[in-house]
Amino acid sequence: MDNKVKEISEKIDDAIGKLNKKDFTINFFVVDTKGVPNGNTRYIYEMAKELIDNDYNCFMLYQQEKETIQEKQNIKGKDVIVDKEVEVPFIGVRDWMGDEFADIPHGSIGSETIKVSTSDFLIIPELFANVMNQTKKLPCKRIILCQNLNFITEFMSLGTSWANFGLLDVITTTETQAEEIKDLFPYMKTKVINPSIPNYFRNNSDPKKIVISTVIKDASLLKKLVNQFYWKYPQYSWVTFMDLRNLSRESFANTFRESAITVWMDDETYFGHAPVEAIKSGSIVIGKIPDVIPEWMYSDDKETISTNGLWFDNFKDVHKLIAQAIKLWLDDEIPEIITDEMVKMEDRYKVEDKQIQLLDVIETYIAERITELKDIKNKIEKK
Amino acid sequence: MEELTIIIPVHEYNETIEKYLQRAIESVEAQTEKPSNIIIVGPKEVINAQRQQLDTTSIGFELITNEGQTDYCSQINLAVKYVITKYFSILEFDDYYQKNWLKNVNIYTKFKPDFSIFLPIAKFVNVKDEEVCLANEILWSLAFANELGVIDPEMLQSYGDFSVPGGVIRTDDFIEIGGLKPSIKLSFWYEFLLRASNNGVKAFVIPKTGYIHTIERKDSLMDQLSAMSEKETSFWMELAKKEYYFVNERADKAKFVEKKKLTEIIK
């Protein structure tokens, strides 16, 4: 065995040793939410926090944003305005996720102090094709995290695929999405970690208020919904709509717990945290069926749509459904077929279940990485 | 709802009233949580007729013959003297409860223990039992109420159109603030709510349509009141705002002045 091979073999042994001792780092690429709540980013931070709580080292990587400012400078005795490029401070998630998440170590991906080694992992969200490309020469194991398949085409140039970036592993959030990924990229190895809903999304014995929470990203659609409802049903013009956008998650939970009804619309989601959170909080959800139907929206037979909410396809139907739900709620006659299915949701997407799934997936990746490194070592030594 | 007595005031008796009264009593019996008892207060003929019916009901009854003043307010004041439960509710004989109303009352009285008056969102129906409109629902408008569902003193000064029958009132607070004032027509409930608020008695609208209130019935109290002129209506509303400072009915002299004014308005 020549020295070069020996050196590589030793490095591989070192990496395997670190993997066995949990002496490695799982890096997560995140985008700066600038204090604005974002479900996809939250999912990543929750993963990192859970792993830290289980003695893994995690690090949050972000792309340093820069902006151009104008600055007055004295050049040859004259005051002139010049453009200057400055770094935009990273704000993160402190305002809406709290210190325990914001205090996870962070660093810019371009920083010289940040090193990744063979035993490390880098988790890259599906949106960041540029990061997938920029990091393809890194020695670490890179894994895509795909929460929403709709995002993958956003920054991916035509003709390229994940394989072009040397990426063959993907973590996703639902079986449905895993199947779709397989359909697009048959070579990808998929693993599923279901989202979890924190335990504070729960019903309590306090009676609810006749208030309608709304979770609708598009502000103009929300305005249209409320205005049209009041025009069509003036007898319910006293019913208050509460816009939950940009609230902290705890505020979400409190509002869901108090609201009799929640209206939700998000065509592009693959999961839909908000309606699950609302149902678990005992709020009757009136929701538009997304383009891809989330798994929790199906009945036990996995074919028909569940009655755990009032679902519609056409926006025109939403006002009538809201009016019906208000009447039923006021009359205390919400059908059991709905309330029973809502109760069933209480046991789904528990934090404890996600913890088990997450640790299982990470341990599998570690084992696979060890096998992969051993194979490389064998191949090198045989040569 | 064992801490509750239902009061049914009946001022006269005939076949139509008997039919309505039966429906009202049946709605009490159909409650998912039953009250402690029912008090029917009315003239002798009502009470005698009711005595025949009692064996068929499962809830305790008390029949009170109303001698002397037989107006609505006096009947209620009299019946409340016989109430031994923490709360009472007035069920007008031509109205009825929704089946879960008392269950909801139980939930909300526990949820808001410092409140003493709990009103329903009342559903007003015509004699054919067709829905006409809702009442008290306005308290659940964020643009209207400082706190959703709570009747506050500020609001009471500008809005007085509340429907109290079907609501639940703490017995001791009702007695302490003087009960209803029979001399005030039309706005007696409004005056009562103003007085309650002035005495620190808190009121809340339970966001459930627990009470079905029949309107447009010929010869009903509501029918008589709705025939009032705008001037007369305003007179009674203004009178309520003057009278609520006084726990008991004002002295005869003051009442005489007000009555004189009313006579002039009616002219």
Side-chain angles (χ1 to χ4, degrees):
Chain A
M1 195 189 297
D2 67 20
N3 285 344
K4 182 83 177 167
V5 171
K6 195 178 171 191
E7 191 186 330
I8 294 170
S9 291
E10 281 173 2
K11 275 188 179 172
I12 290 174
D13 284 340
D14 181 51
I16 291 170
K18 283 180 174 173
L19 284 163
N20 281 323
K21 288 187 287 184
K22 282 192 183 177
D23 184 15
F24 61 90
T25 302
I26 303 170
N27 299 283
F28 290 89
F29 186 80
V30 287
V31 67
D32 189 359
T33 62
K34 300 187 192 304
V36 178
N38 173 299
N40 291 342
T41 305
R42 186 180 58 227
Y43 179 89
I44 298 170
Y45 273 87
E46 283 172 354
M47 267 176 85
K49 176 73 174 49
E50 187 54 42
L51 290 169
I52 290 169
D53 290 346
N54 282 279
D55 302 326
Y56 287 97
N57 304 309
C58 291
F59 196 87
M60 313 310 276
L61 285 169
Y62 60 88
Q63 196 119 41
Q64 181 62 61
E65 281 184 49
K66 289 185 177 164
E67 66 178 354
T68 305
I69 59 163
Q70 293 194 317
E71 194 180 68
K72 196 195 272 184
Q73 283 183 8
N74 192 290
I75 300 171
K76 292 179 183 173
K78 281 185 178 176
D79 282 344
V80 288
I81 305 291
V82 293
D83 286 347
K84 189 184 174 187
E85 201 173 59
V86 292
E87 288 185 352
V88 179
F90 183 83
I91 296 168
V93 297
R94 193 174 307 276
D95 286 351
W96 60 281
M97 288 195 76
D99 293 345
E100 56 177 355
F101 292 95
D103 290 342
I104 297 172
H106 283 66
S108 160
I109 201 162
S111 167
E112 286 177 7
T113 54
I114 294 166
K115 298 260 187 292
V116 285
S117 69
T118 313
S119 53
D120 293 338
F121 291 82
L122 173 59
I123 315 286
I124 309 168
E126 76 290 70
L127 187 64
F128 300 102
N130 58 335
V131 178
M132 295 176 197
N133 193 27
Q134 285 164 15
T135 57
K136 64 185 174 191
K137 287 188 178 165
L138 290 177
C140 63
K141 174 77 182 172
R142 293 176 308 136
I143 299 162
I144 294 168
L145 174 62
C146 182
Q147 295 185 66
N148 191 327
L149 207 47
N150 290 321
F151 293 163
I152 68 168
T153 50
E154 198 88 357
F155 296 107
M156 192 105 90
S157 53
L158 286 174
T160 53
S161 79
W162 286 341
N164 296 107
F165 306 132
L167 286 155
L168 300 169
D169 289 276
V170 57
I171 296 171
T172 188
T173 48
T174 62
E175 291 295 345
T176 318
Q177 202 160 207
E179 282 167 26
E180 280 199 46
I181 290 170
K182 279 277 180 202
D183 196 36
L184 288 172
F185 311 114
Y187 53 83
M188 291 300 288
K189 284 190 280 180
T190 58
K191 291 185 175 54
V192 175
I193 303 173
N194 288 131
S196 66
I197 307 296
N199 296 332
Y200 52 75
F201 285 98
R202 63 175 191 281
N203 205 354
N204 63 12
S205 58
D206 290 349
K208 297 213 179 308
K209 296 176 178 172
I210 182 63
V211 164
I212 301 176
S213 290
T214 58
V215 188
I216 301 168
K217 279 184 196 163
D218 182 348
S220 61
L221 185 64
L222 172 61
K223 198 174 171 193
K224 188 175 158 187
L225 168 87
V226 178
N227 274 336
Q228 289 187 353
F229 177 75
Y230 285 153
W231 292 332
K232 283 184 180 179
Y233 297 94
Q235 69 269 37
Y236 293 134
S237 59
W238 51 275
V239 176
T240 300
F241 284 81
M242 302 273 278
D243 178 9
L244 266 59
R245 283 174 307 159
N246 300 337
L247 289 185
S248 72
R249 216 167 184 206
E250 280 80 1
S251 302
F252 248 70
N254 291 335
T255 314
F256 281 148
R257 208 166 17 253
E258 286 185 354
S259 307
I261 298 162
T262 297
V263 179
W264 165 72
M265 279 187 250
D266 183 357
D267 286 336
E268 292 186 342
T269 190
Y270 270 79
F271 184 75
H273 283 78
V276 179
E277 290 163 356
I279 293 169
K280 278 174 168 266
S281 306
S283 186
I284 297 153
V285 175
I286 298 170
K288 187 163 186 288
I289 299 171
D291 296 342
V292 177
I293 302 172
E295 59 188 18
W296 55 264
M297 225 184 232
Y298 283 104
S299 303
D300 295 339
D301 64 13
K302 312 274 186 211
E303 285 178 2
T304 52
I305 298 288
S306 167
T307 54
N308 51 13
L310 300 168
W311 312 117
F312 63 95
D313 272 322
N314 191 330
F315 180 80
K316 279 183 184 171
D317 299 332
V318 67
H319 310 104
K320 194 178 174 185
L321 277 176
I322 295 171
Q324 284 172 342
I326 292 173
K327 188 179 184 312
L328 287 170
W329 192 85
L330 288 175
D331 288 348
D332 221 15
E333 285 181 354
I334 298 292
E336 279 181 8
I337 194 171
I338 294 175
T339 50
D340 288 353
E341 288 299 307
M342 285 172 69
V343 169
K344 277 189 197 171
M345 290 289 284
E346 284 175 10
D347 289 332
R348 298 187 69 181
Y349 306 111
K350 287 190 159 181
V351 173
E352 302 76 22
D353 297 339
K354 183 189 170 186
Q355 286 166 354
I356 293 165
Q357 251 184 336
L358 170 64
L359 295 176
D360 189 44
V361 164
I362 292 300
E363 281 163 18
T364 309
Y365 276 130
I366 294 167
E368 285 175 3
R369 184 65 171 156
I370 290 170
T371 309
E372 187 187 341
L373 291 173
K374 281 180 178 170
D375 286 349
I376 293 169
K377 189 183 164 193
N378 286 340
K379 279 177 192 165
I380 291 169
E381 287 176 353
K382 274 181 192 168
K383 277 183 185 173
Chain B
M1 186 71 194
E2 288 174 3
E3 293 178 314
L4 181 87
T5 297
I6 308 289
I7 296 173
I8 308 178
V10 187
H11 64 283
E12 59 178 328
Y13 192 74
N14 58 39
E15 257 184 44
T16 311
I17 290 174
E18 172 56 37
K19 204 174 80 185
Y20 279 124
L21 188 55
Q22 202 173 336
R23 182 181 69 172
I25 293 169
E26 279 169 10
S27 81
V28 179
E29 290 180 322
Q31 289 298 303
T32 47
E33 288 185 23
K34 306 273 188 291
S36 172
N37 64 326
I38 299 174
I39 292 176
I40 296 179
V41 55
K44 260 184 195 164
E45 69 266 27
V46 176
I47 299 309
N48 289 339
Q50 278 309 303
R51 225 178 283 282
Q52 321 285 322
Q53 313 281 335
L54 290 187
D55 293 345
T56 58
T57 65
S58 57
I59 300 163
F61 264 88
E62 198 155 350
L63 301 172
I64 300 165
T65 308
N66 177 205
E67 309 288 358
Q69 285 187 293
T70 57
D71 63 274
Y72 182 86
C73 295
S74 300
Q75 284 188 327
I76 289 165
N77 287 341
L78 175 68
V80 172
K81 288 180 184 167
Y82 292 84
V83 173
I84 52 166
T85 53
K86 188 175 176 181
Y87 298 100
F88 70 89
S89 175
I90 293 147
L91 171 59
E92 293 182 356
F93 69 83
D94 52 357
D95 300 343
Y96 58 95
Y97 295 118
Q98 297 270 55
K99 67 172 181 186
N100 284 330
W101 173 235
L102 297 188
K103 182 198 86 179
N104 282 312
V105 165
N106 201 8
I107 292 169
Y108 281 88
T109 48
K110 282 178 184 153
F111 178 57
K112 289 203 169 284
D114 54 335
F115 280 64
S116 299
I117 301 171
F118 295 87
L119 305 186
I121 289 181
K123 199 183 278 186
F124 283 15
V125 297
N126 59 22
V127 283
K128 291 177 184 164
D129 216 25
E130 294 162 339
E131 188 175 332
V132 177
C133 62
L134 298 176
N136 300 338
E137 84 290 2
I138 195 75
L139 265 296
W140 282 89
S141 165
L142 200 58
F144 190 80
N146 290 323
E147 187 187 341
L148 286 173
V150 175
I151 301 177
D152 62 49
E154 192 188 333
M155 173 206 301
L156 274 170
Q157 288 302 324
S158 56
Y159 187 85
D161 195 13
F162 294 101
S163 177
V164 180
V168 166
I169 302 170
R170 255 185 97 116
T171 313
D172 52 2
D173 281 331
F174 180 87
I175 293 166
E176 199 178 318
I177 64 170
L180 291 175
K181 292 179 180 169
S183 70
I184 299 176
K185 308 296 174 207
L186 181 72
S187 59
F188 53 88
W189 277 126
Y190 178 45
E191 191 276 339
F192 173 78
L193 289 174
L194 281 164
R195 187 156 28 97
S197 172
N198 195 43
N199 284 279
V201 174
K202 293 184 184 175
F204 179 76
V205 172
I206 294 177
K208 293 286 177 185
T209 45
Y211 189 72
I212 312 300
H213 185 63
T214 308
I215 56 169
E216 300 171 2
R217 186 179 61 79
K218 220 176 162 216
D219 300 329
S220 68
L221 180 63
M222 184 75 102
D223 189 44
Q224 291 164 26
L225 297 176
S226 61
M228 280 184 185
S229 69
E230 205 173 310
K231 269 187 178 177
E232 197 179 346
T233 306
S234 304
F235 169 82
W236 288 116
M237 297 307 275
E238 288 308 311
L239 184 68
K241 285 184 182 174
K242 287 177 190 166
E243 288 295 317
Y244 80 86
Y245 295 104
F246 307 97
V247 168
N248 297 309
E249 296 242 52
R250 279 215 282 169
D252 288 348
K253 193 178 174 186
K255 277 200 282 181
F256 172 74
V257 173
E258 298 299 352
K259 276 185 180 170
K260 199 177 167 195
K261 272 189 201 169
L262 178 62
T263 318
E264 284 164 10
I265 288 165
I266 294 167
K267 274 180 187 172

